[in-house]
Amino acid sequence: LIQTKIGAAFHADREFTKGNEDNSEIPIVLIPHKHCLPTFQLNVPSGMFVLYQKWNANQGLLEPGVKWMWLPWYRISHMVTKSVVSYNAPAKNCPTADNIMVNVDLS
């Protein structure tokens, strides 16, 4: 499970599905590039939690859709997937209450 930087917010769907195809790294949090100039039109994708900031102070969730005249002091800070992520994380050499090392695999 990883956190990845992406170029633009509208690439988020592609980045979330790309990670699921090869199963080596699964992105659950994406950080889009910050804009330095005003953006006339910002498309906020649906199907994920989109967190935004104003002057680097958290403002909460941003609703999906088109945002007109997105000023540079606003930014999308994080995009978190709403989909269920399953992965295999076996525990190796875990001590029990009797201090015996065991390996646990729940797959």
Side-chain angles (χ1 to χ4, degrees):
L1 302 175
I2 62 169
Q3 173 177 301
T4 305
K5 292 183 179 182
I6 61 171
F10 60 86
H11 294 302
D13 287 330
R14 181 179 64 195
E15 292 295 323
F16 281 132
T17 55
K18 182 174 71 172
N20 291 334
E21 289 173 357
D22 60 2
N23 286 331
S24 61
E25 295 180 334
I26 301 171
I28 58 169
V29 178
L30 300 176
I31 301 174
H33 177 72
K34 182 179 179 180
H35 296 282
C36 297
L37 298 172
T39 304
F40 179 70
Q41 175 185 351
L42 176 73
N43 294 320
V44 180
S46 61
M48 59 199 74
F49 297 107
V50 179
L51 305 173
Y52 77 107
Q53 297 176 340
K54 178 181 179 182
W55 297 112
N56 292 327
N58 293 328
Q59 300 295 310
L61 291 174
L62 188 61
E63 296 297 320
V66 176
K67 307 301 177 202
W68 300 103
M69 290 306 299
W70 188 257
L71 299 172
W73 48 83
Y74 288 102
R75 76 180 196 112
I76 294 177
S77 61
H78 296 85
M79 304 172 85
V80 183
T81 182
K82 286 184 179 180
S83 64
V84 176
V85 177
S86 60
Y87 62 98
N88 186 14
K92 296 181 180 179
N93 294 326
C94 292
T96 63
D98 300 332
N99 204 20
I100 298 172
M101 304 305 254
V102 296
N103 292 331
V104 179
D105 189 5
L106 301 175
S107 58

